[in-house]
């Protein structure tokens, strides 16, 4: 059997019928990694010994949860007890955490099997997985192209059939954008829906963990397992976690869709625009209606995001100073040199760039002009969404302006790279949930459809995404590695 050919529910049924064992699933995952990861370069650490050990313990048992015994990959900024967590940075090259993140604990409770840790942009800063200190992950659809970022390793591992699902994190589009580039499903939940405890912080008011899967139903199953209130994270919200998969009825009759004109305007490729219009036709055929709307302040999203995210990053990354853990320079002459050299040698260029930008925005004399102003604009962006959601159920547009670009094409031009996130960033600034699902191809490369919902209304997003998925066959396409 191939992991490629089965949904999580299928695998669960095969386990219950005893047609396969958990060890068989883990064997298949590791076999596939050995076959293709030399080309894709998605994994940083493979925990084969412990994965096989846990699989043996689970063999013969019957777990009621659909995720029982399912192999998974974790983005390498999610801490895993006794399993190296590097954030793809020299700064944490030898860091072995002493505890599990809450999302890992929740997956352990339902007995998933962690296969290993996945490559990413260093400290989640980037859109291509090229800023990793260790390797460049390749897009399974075209090995000369990027898989997106910062969760590029997670998306590439799922797209290439190495694991049935992976966790990523999304600060400005870092789950949805790589999901779009790799032709898989990526969900950024509402801020506060999933605990951030044990995620290595980039921008605390924006970061969210979420699942990357091959189908919408698989995604809904994983989100249900990791969502919920956590005493260790005061930003989690005490709201009941629905059975997301139970609501996937395919019924979208009467659904009202808003399509922001800004999301189909300048900078969005013809192929991305056409794929969205074709997707809207499919949803119309299923009984939904759509109208064009405006999100006037979204044009300021990129500038607002990079000021706020960089400011939070400069504060969060101050803890990496060479004193307690992480990289430490050799033979510093004094304390100041220890700080300077440890940070300049341990961090990569993109991380340094954002720390400097953030420190500047927070500095005396510039705080009001930059950081405070950005927070005010963030409020306006959120109000734009609130106005649209007072009349419509979901907002739809492309996930990215273009398909995946070539390795090396934008990484040396940070402004161009930042602007490519213009469609995903506003969702994080407003704390909303958003999903990317495959909606077409151009020149053999996948395109993503972004569906944005109201706060804590992941159910409606999943319902729309599933209805579209069932009416099309884009999710069934596989890269030929």
């Amino acid at each position: 059997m191939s992991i490629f050919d089965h949904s999580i529910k299928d695998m669960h049924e095969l386990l219950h019928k005893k047609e396969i064992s958990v060890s068989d699933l883990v064997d298949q995952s590791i076999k596939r990694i050995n076959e293709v990861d030399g080309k894709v370069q998605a994994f940083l650490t493979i925990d084969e010994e412990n994965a096989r050990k846990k699989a043996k313990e689970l063999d013969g048992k019957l777990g009621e949860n659909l995720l029982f015994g399912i192999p998974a990959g974790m983005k390498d900024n999610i801490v895993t007890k006794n399993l190296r967590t590097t954030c793809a940075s020299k700064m944490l090259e030898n860091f072995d955490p002493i505890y599990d993140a809450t999302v890992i604990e929740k997956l352990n409770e339902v007995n998933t099997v962690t296969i290993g840790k996945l490559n990413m942009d260093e400290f989640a800063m980037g859109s291509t997985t090229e800023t990793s200190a260790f390797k460049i992950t390749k897009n399974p659809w075209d090995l000369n192209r990027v898989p997106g970022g910062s969760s590029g390793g997670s998306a590439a591992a799922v797209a290439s059939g190495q694991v049935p699902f992976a966790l990523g994190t999304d600060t400005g589009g870092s789950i949805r954008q790589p999901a779009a580039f790799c032709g898989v499903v990526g969900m950024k939940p509402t801020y506060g829906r999933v605990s951030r405890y044990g995620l290595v912080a980039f921008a605390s008011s924006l970061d969210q963990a979420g699942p990357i899967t091959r189908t919408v139903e698989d995604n809904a199953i994983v989100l249900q397992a990791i969502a919920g209130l956590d005493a260790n994270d005061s930003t989690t919200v005490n709201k009941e976690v629905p059975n997301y998969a139970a609501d996937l009825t395919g019924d979208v009759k009467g659904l009202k869709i808003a399509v922001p004109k800004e999301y189909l305007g300048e900078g969005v490729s013809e192929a991305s625009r056409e794929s969205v219009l074709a997707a809207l036709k499919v949803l119309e055929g299923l009984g939904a209606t759509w109208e064009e709307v405006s999100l006037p302040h979204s044009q300021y999203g990129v500038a607002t995001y990079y000021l706020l995210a960089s400011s939070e990053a400069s504060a969060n990354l101050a803890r990496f100073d060479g004193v307690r853990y992480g990289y430490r320079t050799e033979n510093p002459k004094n304390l100041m040199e220890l700080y300077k050299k440890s940070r300049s040698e341990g961090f990569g260029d993109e991380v340094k760039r954002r720390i400097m930008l953030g420190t500047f925005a927070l500095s005396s004399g510039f705080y009001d002009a930059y950081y405070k102003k950005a927070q005010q604009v963030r409020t306006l962006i959120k109000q734009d969404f609130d106005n649209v959601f007072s009349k419509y159920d979901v907002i739809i547009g492309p996930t990215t302006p273009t398909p995946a670009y070539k390795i090396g094409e934008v990484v040396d031009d940070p402004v161009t790279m930042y602007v490519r996130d213009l469609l995903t960033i506003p969702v994080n600034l407003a704390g909303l949930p958003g999903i990317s699902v495959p909606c077409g191809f151009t020149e053999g490369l996948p395109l993503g459809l972004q569906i944005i919902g109201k706060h804590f209304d992941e159910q409606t997003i999943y319902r729309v995404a599933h209805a579209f998925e069932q009416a099309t066959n884009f999710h069934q396409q596989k890269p030929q590695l």
Side-chain angles (χ1 to χ4, degrees):
M1 65 161 287
S2 162
I3 282 173
F4 248 152
D5 302 324
H6 295 278
S7 68
I8 286 172
K9 200 181 259 183
D10 288 343
M11 291 182 221
H12 178 75
E13 285 175 11
L14 290 169
L15 285 170
H16 261 245
K17 290 176 185 168
K18 301 197 172 168
E19 290 178 23
I20 58 167
S21 66
V22 177
S23 287
D24 291 335
L25 286 178
V26 170
D27 285 344
Q28 277 299 319
S29 180
I30 289 167
K31 180 177 174 232
R32 181 69 178 169
I33 291 168
N34 290 334
E35 285 170 358
V36 304
D37 204 51
K39 298 175 191 171
V40 177
Q41 302 280 298
F43 278 89
L44 286 175
T45 307
I46 297 168
D47 194 19
E48 182 175 349
E49 185 184 340
N50 285 317
R52 289 191 187 282
K53 187 177 163 194
K54 183 166 183 181
K56 277 210 170 78
E57 289 167 8
L58 298 178
D59 283 342
K61 295 178 183 172
L62 291 177
E64 287 310 308
N65 192 285
L66 292 170
L67 291 173
F68 176 90
I70 303 297
M74 303 298 154
K75 186 176 178 179
D76 206 27
N77 62 343
I78 300 171
V79 303
T80 40
K81 188 175 181 180
N82 301 325
L83 178 58
R84 187 143 297 173
T85 301
T86 69
C87 290
S89 177
K90 190 177 173 186
M91 183 61 83
L92 290 173
E93 196 168 3
N94 300 307
F95 177 52
D96 296 322
I98 57 171
Y99 71 101
D100 280 321
T102 298
V103 288
I104 302 294
E105 283 185 349
K106 283 177 174 281
L107 290 175
N108 287 339
E109 282 168 18
V110 295
N111 285 305
T112 59
V113 181
T114 298
I115 298 292
K117 305 301 285 292
L118 293 155
N119 197 24
M120 56 184 281
D121 282 299
E122 185 182 5
F123 281 101
M125 298 181 195
S127 316
T128 64
T129 313
E130 290 172 281
T131 71
S132 168
F134 306 120
K135 56 170 75 170
I136 295 174
T137 300
K138 317 292 195 303
N139 190 316
W141 293 90
D142 179 348
L143 297 172
N144 296 310
R145 293 183 184 262
V146 300
S150 60
S151 308
S154 300
V158 172
S160 55
Q162 298 182 54
V163 283
F165 80 90
L167 292 191
T169 63
D170 192 312
T171 308
S174 288
I175 286 172
R176 290 158 290 151
Q177 184 250 27
F181 279 6
C182 291
V184 290
V185 179
M187 166 64 95
K188 181 251 161 206
T190 308
Y191 185 82
R193 176 59 94 186
V194 176
S195 173
R196 290 182 300 108
Y197 180 71
L199 302 193
V200 179
F202 161 18
S204 307
S205 75
L206 298 159
D207 300 341
Q208 272 291 272
I212 295 177
T213 57
R214 287 192 52 248
T215 68
V216 173
E217 184 178 47
D218 284 359
N219 207 283
I221 290 165
V222 178
L223 181 61
Q224 189 184 346
I226 63 172
L229 184 69
D230 178 21
N232 289 320
D233 178 4
S234 61
T235 62
T236 52
V237 175
N238 188 10
K239 274 180 109 64
E240 188 184 344
V241 179
N243 183 341
Y244 295 118
D247 281 345
L248 304 181
T249 58
D251 180 19
V252 291
K253 282 190 185 67
L255 187 97
K256 291 181 178 171
I257 300 167
V259 181
K261 63 183 181 187
E262 292 83 2
Y263 284 22
L264 295 174
E266 192 183 345
V268 176
S269 72
E270 193 56 36
S272 293
R273 192 181 294 114
E274 290 301 321
S275 70
V276 169
L277 293 173
L280 290 167
K281 266 208 173 92
V282 170
L283 291 167
E284 268 188 319
L286 295 170
T289 58
W290 68 274
E291 289 175 3
E292 192 177 81
V293 298
S294 179
L295 295 170
H297 295 97
S298 60
Q299 62 180 306
Y300 307 114
V302 172
T304 301
Y305 170 83
Y306 278 99
L307 280 167
L308 296 178
S310 300
S311 297
E312 293 184 28
S314 78
N316 278 325
L317 271 61
R319 70 193 70 176
F320 301 106
D321 54 13
V323 177
R324 290 195 175 197
Y325 56 87
Y327 177 82
R328 182 176 191 150
T329 193
E330 289 182 18
N331 306 317
K333 293 190 183 75
N334 52 46
L335 186 63
M336 191 53 70
E337 188 173 279
L338 169 70
Y339 293 157
K340 275 186 180 175
K341 283 197 164 179
S342 295
R343 289 169 70 78
S344 62
E345 293 165 14
F347 288 136
D349 289 348
E350 183 60 33
V351 175
K352 290 179 198 169
R353 188 181 291 122
R354 299 200 196 192
I355 288 172
M356 286 190 284
L357 174 61
T359 305
F360 172 76
L362 291 173
S363 61
S364 175
F366 297 100
Y367 179 90
D368 284 357
Y370 293 104
Y371 182 77
K372 185 179 174 188
K373 182 68 73 180
Q375 288 287 25
Q376 290 168 331
V377 177
R378 181 182 192 169
T379 301
L380 295 175
I381 289 169
K382 183 185 175 296
Q383 285 170 355
D384 285 350
F385 280 112
D386 291 344
N387 291 338
V388 170
F389 280 128
S390 66
K391 302 184 193 116
Y392 299 91
D393 300 304
V394 292
I395 293 169
I396 283 182
T399 310
T400 58
T402 64
Y405 22 91
K406 287 186 172 158
I407 290 168
E409 194 177 315
V410 299
V411 72
D412 296 323
D413 182 356
V415 175
T416 301
M417 186 168 75
Y418 297 170
V419 170
R420 301 277 177 107
D421 294 336
L422 79 163
L423 301 172
T424 51
I425 277 171
V427 176
N428 297 76
L429 290 170
L432 296 165
I435 200 169
S436 178
V437 292
C439 71
F441 289 86
T442 178
E443 296 172 10
L445 297 168
L447 295 166
L449 182 76
Q450 182 173 213
I451 306 166
I452 304 162
K454 300 172 186 175
H455 289 102
F456 299 101
D457 192 16
E458 287 87 357
Q459 282 152 293
T460 301
I461 295 177
Y462 277 135
R463 187 159 55 88
V464 178
H466 183 257
F468 173 73
E469 182 186 79
Q470 295 307 299
T472 56
N473 69 349
F474 302 119
H475 65 291
Q476 293 166 352
Q477 313 292 318
K478 301 171 193 171
Q480 299 303 311
L481 275 163

